[in-house]
Amino acid sequence: MSVVGFDFGNESCIVAVARQRGIDVVLNDESKRETPALVCFGDKQRFIGTAGAATSMMNPKNTISQIKRLIGRQFSDPELQRDLKSFPFAVTEGPDGFPLIHARYLGETRTFTPTQVMGMVLSNLKGIAEKNLNAAVVDCCIGIPVYFTDLQRRAVMDAAQIAGLHPLHLIHETTATALAYGIYKTDLPESDQLNVAFVDIGHSSMQVCIAGFKKGQLKILGHSFDRSLGGRDFDEVLFHHFAEKFKVEYKIDVYQNARACLRLRSGCEKLKKMLSANPEAPLNIECLMEEKDVRGFIKRDEFEQISIPILERVKRPLEKALAETGLSVEDVHMVEVVGSASRVPAVMKILTEFFGKEPRRTMNASECVARGCALQCAILSPTFKVREFQVNENFPFSIALSWKGTAPDAKNEATENQQSTIVFPKGNPIPSVKALTFYRSGTFTIDVQYADVSELQAPAKISTYTIGPFQSTKSERAKVKVKVRLNLHGIVSIESATLLEEEEIEVPVTKEPEKESAKMETDEASNDAVPPSSNETDENMQDAKGTAADPSGAENGVPESGDKPVQMETDTKVPKKKVKKTNIPVAELVYGAMVPTDLQKAVEKEFEMALQDRVMEETKDKKNAVEAYVYDMRNKLCDKYHSFVTDSEREQFTSRLQEVEDWLYEDGEDETKGVYIAKLEELKKQGDPIEERYKESTERGSVIDQLVYCI
Ligand code: ATP
Ligand code: MG
């Protein structure tokens, strides 16, 4: 079983793997630890990750980046609309109201969903892990921002499936960091809690979490975030600053040219990084537009001045995190800063002022999320022994269920109205299961929704579940138990519905009930103990206590709560109340999620595209082999093989090699793999006998040498 962690960043991704001696960040094909999160579509193939970055400047309109911003969001989302203004590629609204990315691929314009594109990047990361581990990678943990909605979480799961991955856990990025921080600490207190604030400022967003550490465990006390505050915002400020300047100084409008925009943005990012280490920095870009070289310069003071609107927003998530946890600044014992955008000195100044202490950088700011993900995967994997360390996660949103029900109105008459209840309040542990009891005469629907949309850029409604059909044999309004699960990934779903019918049967009783069935009773009692009291509405909700309990099926026939097992000494038959449990079909409709048939199609499509990429890579290899043979043989004919060919043979072969070289740059530039293989074989037919003669002679020579030596 593979143990791999992926940090899928908005700008770059990191892959960490668990080995017996610890967690390693692995290198990609270019021996780099960070892999750009982008896909460049070409005429013949895709270039993903580092290969994509190499071609992005030549092909900006077909280079898809910042996929994390697009995934699982509606096209009309105001944040997405704002982002699109600076993206060099085209995005339109699909028929389902979700974004469709346009790119020229294999000679025609095609559309892709953000989930598909994320699948492509994940599949590239999977390949990096596989190459390093020399084994297939399927099981993994993937980091996600804490603010990801239900739909975004589902989209990541779909993207992973497209890539052939099976995430055991989508883990909040800041929680992964907290895990990577705590698990190696040997000095954690036994009883007093050590409170640490983790601040992650990445490419596009800022996340804060406060975690309480004790020996062997961490508890997330609260999360906060700003979904649109990251390093790219500083680049954007610089970009607009210089774009305006160049309009006046050089009479060029970079906004009109996608490539110039891309190059200026990239220049501004470099400039920003320089300003983190220097009080001033220059900007020089050759031939930016209309063949004009541009020059600029900015001091850190001025950069901070023009960045005030961004810097002013850094404090808010910090305040929210404290409010969320009910802690004061003094209660936060340490502050750990991660995410590469936190390197901006002005940001560090704000953090220091806010917490009244110097934030620390003991974590590897760019790798801690991936390391935490790999650690989490190792904890979940049976193949690794990891130090005992418990992670108590905390869900950032309140989730409610809503349904049509009857309740007494002012005149005490039953009327039908929409009712709702919060099943998972903000701060609920993850994972968690809750059960609700409904009294219904036939098929009914339940909506799952966010209880408070003020912090979200998402519609309130997440999904609708249709429960039924079912037929009650007894009363008109049957008792239906509905189980709702907040799973390890933070995705909510109604996982089952059970019809509960009391029936009286004769039970032969010969001896005391065994311990096992008594235990099941206890489980049952705690799951569904309180019967509705007369003045309550017809729906009741109780906690299902155990987080991962799965009491379905197994308890069939176990007495309902309140029924104490009957103890009899003699063999006799007694009438006994039993609860008959029947599973009711549950149909799920998640708004905006991929349906299984579409997901299957996307998996097949990815397979096709990956095959195309592989064929093209192999074609390139074969073409290079022909070219290499031409150069190598030409050199050898004048050197090593000189005395093994006649002059005319050499002349003829050299001119043949020249012909093939010319062909490679002209008619043969764009041939199929088979053609290159045939060409190489044809050349070898002529070259191999020469090579053979040379080898024979050197072998004979070495025998003679040895004889001479013996004499
Ligand atoms: P996210 O976490 O938002 O999904 P990410 O994980 O890809 O994105 P990081 O790699 O943590 O983001 O941070 C990338 C950002 O950090 C970029 O905007 C980059 O310009 C910025 N950055 C990197 N080095 C420095 C530096 N020395 N000074 C200032 N900013 C920097
Ligand atoms: Mg990040």
Side-chain angles (χ1 to χ4, degrees), residues 7-10 12 68 173 200-203 207 339 369:
D7 173 11
F8 189 95
N10 195 50
S12 52
K68 213 169 158 184
E173 289 163 356
D200 182 345
I201 308 179
H203 184 240
Q207 301 177 70
V369 173

Side-chain angles (χ1 to χ4, degrees), residues 418-438:
Q418 196 68 24
Q419 298 177 9
S420 78
T421 188
I422 293 180
V423 260
F424 301 112
K426 187 172 179 164
N428 197 93
I430 301 179
S432 183
V433 180
K434 302 267 171 103
L436 280 88
T437 307
F438 290 84

Side-chain angles (χ1 to χ4, degrees), residues 7-12 68 173 201-205 231-232 235 269 272-273 276 339-341 343-344:
D7 173 11
F8 189 95
N10 195 50
E11 184 180 60
S12 52
K68 213 169 158 184
E173 289 163 356
I201 308 179
H203 184 240
S204 63
S205 66
R232 63 174 196 162
D235 306 344
E269 191 195 357
K272 172 191 70 177
K273 288 182 184 168
S276 293
S340 302
R343 295 204 163 94
V344 172

Side-chain angles (χ1 to χ4, degrees), residues 2 126 129-137:
S2 55
K126 174 178 145 96
E130 285 177 337
K131 222 174 190 174
N132 278 275
L133 289 172
N134 210 6
V137 167

Side-chain angles (χ1 to χ4, degrees), residues 503-513 517 556-559 563-579:
E503 55 184 14
E504 216 162 78
I505 51 159
E506 302 235 302
V507 186
V509 179
T510 52
K511 55 180 172 126
E512 242 181 82
S517 63
N556 269 350
V558 174
D563 288 338
K564 286 273 167 263
V566 185
Q567 296 179 26
M568 300 289 284
E569 296 293 319
T570 49
D571 200 354
T572 178
K573 286 197 171 192
V574 292
K576 194 169 184 305
K577 272 190 182 168
K578 284 229 160 189
V579 177

Side-chain angles (χ1 to χ4, degrees), residues 45 52 68-69 187 215 254 349 362 399 437 472 606 682:
Q45 70 175 106
K68 213 169 158 184
R69 298 298 295 175
D187 55 352
K215 194 166 189 279
V254 289
K349 217 167 104 201
T362 54
I399 301 285
T437 307
S472 172
E606 173 58 30
E682 179 201 316

Side-chain angles (χ1 to χ4, degrees), residues 237-252:
V237 163
L238 288 170
F239 169 78
H240 290 302
H241 173 81
F242 284 106
E244 292 306 322
K245 251 187 144 98
F246 295 161
K247 259 188 201 167
V248 182
E249 286 175 22
Y250 294 96
K251 309 272 174 293
I252 52 169

